[in-house]
Amino acid sequence: EAVVSTQSTGMGLHFSVIKLCQSFILWVGHEEASMNTISTALSLPSRPVSSSRLLGNQEWTTLLAQKLAAKTHHQVFIFAGDLEPDEVPMCEKIIFQKLQQSPEIFLTT
């Protein structure tokens, strides 16, 4: 069963999480929904996090997927619209704050 949670920031960034069994999809972008980049990462016991960009050219999505997979031990899919380079650090900060404050939005047991 998928559970969807959507958040908006005052900066025009929007986040949606689709929580799945031992994985989640995180969409990040502006109001207009688009998926210009898709990246994924997987954390396996006793192995480094494996990641790949499947579509697009937003390199930050692969790094974010790696960080989230390492922290959550879940497979992570990042679907992203185009963000400006100066928006990426704030985007990551908001996501990790939300993960710390409300892990149930992202994680299954």
Side-chain angles (χ1 to χ4, degrees):
E1 177 180 328
V3 178
V4 179
S5 175
T6 302
Q7 304 285 317
S8 297
T9 69
M11 304 176 331
L13 288 176
H14 299 267
F15 305 89
S16 288
V17 177
I18 301 173
K19 182 170 68 170
L20 305 166
C21 182
Q22 296 297 310
S23 65
F24 61 91
I25 299 168
L26 172 63
W27 176 82
V28 180
H30 296 282
E31 276 189 61
E32 183 179 310
S34 64
M35 289 187 296
N36 298 335
T37 302
I38 301 173
S39 293
T40 187
L42 179 62
S43 176
L44 297 171
S46 304
R47 294 190 178 176
V49 173
S50 176
S51 65
S52 180
R53 191 176 32 207
L54 306 173
L55 175 71
N57 61 3
Q58 297 272 336
E59 293 182 20
W60 64 268
T61 59
T62 306
L63 183 57
L64 177 58
Q66 282 178 331
K67 290 176 184 178
L68 286 168
K71 179 133 183 101
T72 64
H73 304 289
H74 280 52
Q75 184 169 15
V76 177
F77 296 90
I78 305 288
F79 291 25
D82 289 328
L83 296 185
E84 296 297 324
D86 62 333
E87 293 177 305
V88 173
M90 182 58 70
C91 173
E92 285 193 21
K93 181 179 177 183
I94 291 167
I95 291 166
F96 280 97
Q97 282 176 345
K98 185 55 82 173
L99 178 61
Q100 184 176 5
Q101 294 168 355
S102 305
E104 70 279 0
I105 292 173
F106 299 88
L107 307 177
T108 57
T109 55

